[in-house]
Amino acid sequence: MQIELETTAAPTRIQRLKALTDATHERLDKRIMAADPFGSRERYALFLAVQHHFHADVDPLYLDPRLNRIVPDLPSRVRLEALRQDIADVTGNAPAVLTAGTGRLGIPAALGWLYVAEGSNLGAAFLLKQAARLGLSEEFGARHLAGHPAGRGLHWRTFVASFNGFEMSEAEETEMAEGAKSAFRRVHALVDEFFL
C-alpha cells in the first residue's frame, strides 16, 4: 500500500515578511480606524497629512536605480503627487513640500519600506469607499486611493513577483523585515502625531 504524503510549498519571501510584520500591521490598522479618519472631512485631512508624510519618506525609493532593477515599474507606482492634489482639494491649500525621512537605506530595508507602501494600496479599495461617503472620489480628494488602471490585484502580483524573484540571504531578509517594521512604526507615530 502506497501512502501519499501531503507536501506544502515553502512560504514565499512576501509570505514570510507578512508573517513577521502581521502584529505590527494589525496594531497600526486598529490605531488608524480608532482615529475615525472618515468621520468628517476635517478628520480625513489629518489622514491625508499622515499619508503625505509617509509617502514623502518613501518617494525617493521609487526612483532609486538599485530598486528599479528589482521592481522595474516602480516609478509608475508613486502616489505622492496624487496625495498633494488630494490635500489641496480637501483643505484648499497646497501642502508644504516635504523631504524624505528615510535617508539612504540598504536594498533589503528599502524593500521592506516599499512592501508597506505597496501593500497599503491593496487596502485602499476599502478606504476609497469610506472616502466616497464624504463626497470624495478618484477625481477629487481621494486620488491616492485609486486603483491602478490594470487593476489592484494585477498591480500587486507584479510587485510580488519582482519582490520574490530577488536573491537574498537570510540576514538580508531579516534586514528587510526590520525595514518593514520601521515603516509601520513610522506611520503609527504619524497617526499619533496628527490625531493626538
Side-chain angles (χ1 to χ4, degrees):
M1 178 171 137
Q2 185 178 5
I3 298 174
E4 287 188 33
L5 297 176
E6 213 177 279
T7 59
T8 57
T12 64
R13 175 177 298 127
I14 208 117
Q15 290 169 333
R16 291 189 298 273
L17 182 56
K18 182 180 183 314
L20 289 169
T21 58
D22 263 349
T24 307
H25 188 182
E26 188 175 327
R27 276 193 304 277
L28 174 60
D29 282 351
K30 286 181 179 174
R31 175 62 181 101
I32 289 172
M33 294 322 288
D36 193 22
F38 299 96
S40 66
R41 281 201 180 187
E42 291 75 23
R43 295 205 66 75
Y44 179 70
L46 299 175
F47 173 73
L48 289 176
V50 169
Q51 293 283 70
H52 183 223
H53 280 74
F54 176 69
H55 282 276
D57 285 346
V58 296
D59 190 62
L61 301 179
Y62 287 90
L63 302 176
D64 187 319
R66 303 168 306 155
L67 298 170
N68 275 271
R69 285 191 287 276
I70 299 166
V71 185
D73 66 342
L74 271 182
S76 72
R77 295 170 176 270
V78 174
R79 287 184 277 159
L80 184 60
E81 188 52 40
L83 264 163
R84 293 177 56 73
Q85 291 174 357
D86 289 343
I87 290 169
D89 289 344
V90 172
T91 68
N93 299 311
V97 175
L98 303 173
T99 56
T102 50
R104 180 124 168 113
L105 296 171
I107 288 175
L111 286 171
W113 279 76
L114 285 174
Y115 163 79
V116 173
E118 288 302 303
S120 71
N121 204 22
L122 282 178
F126 165 76
L127 300 179
L128 186 58
K129 289 178 185 171
Q130 299 299 309
R133 295 183 2 212
L134 298 173
L136 306 172
S137 70
E138 295 175 345
E139 291 82 35
F140 181 86
R143 289 175 184 84
H144 80 286
L145 299 174
H148 189 270
R152 286 182 207 277
L154 178 60
H155 203 52
W156 174 247
R157 287 190 301 277
T158 303
F159 175 77
V160 168
S162 298
F163 192 90
N164 284 336
F166 181 64
E167 289 296 321
M168 250 190 222
S169 68
E170 192 173 318
E172 287 171 325
E173 283 206 20
T174 299
E175 186 184 336
M176 179 187 57
E178 288 309 310
K181 289 176 186 176
S182 292
F184 281 125
R185 286 192 300 269
R186 168 67 170 148
V187 179
H188 201 131
L190 288 167
V191 171
D192 287 346
E193 177 185 341
F194 284 99
F195 285 98
L196 299 180

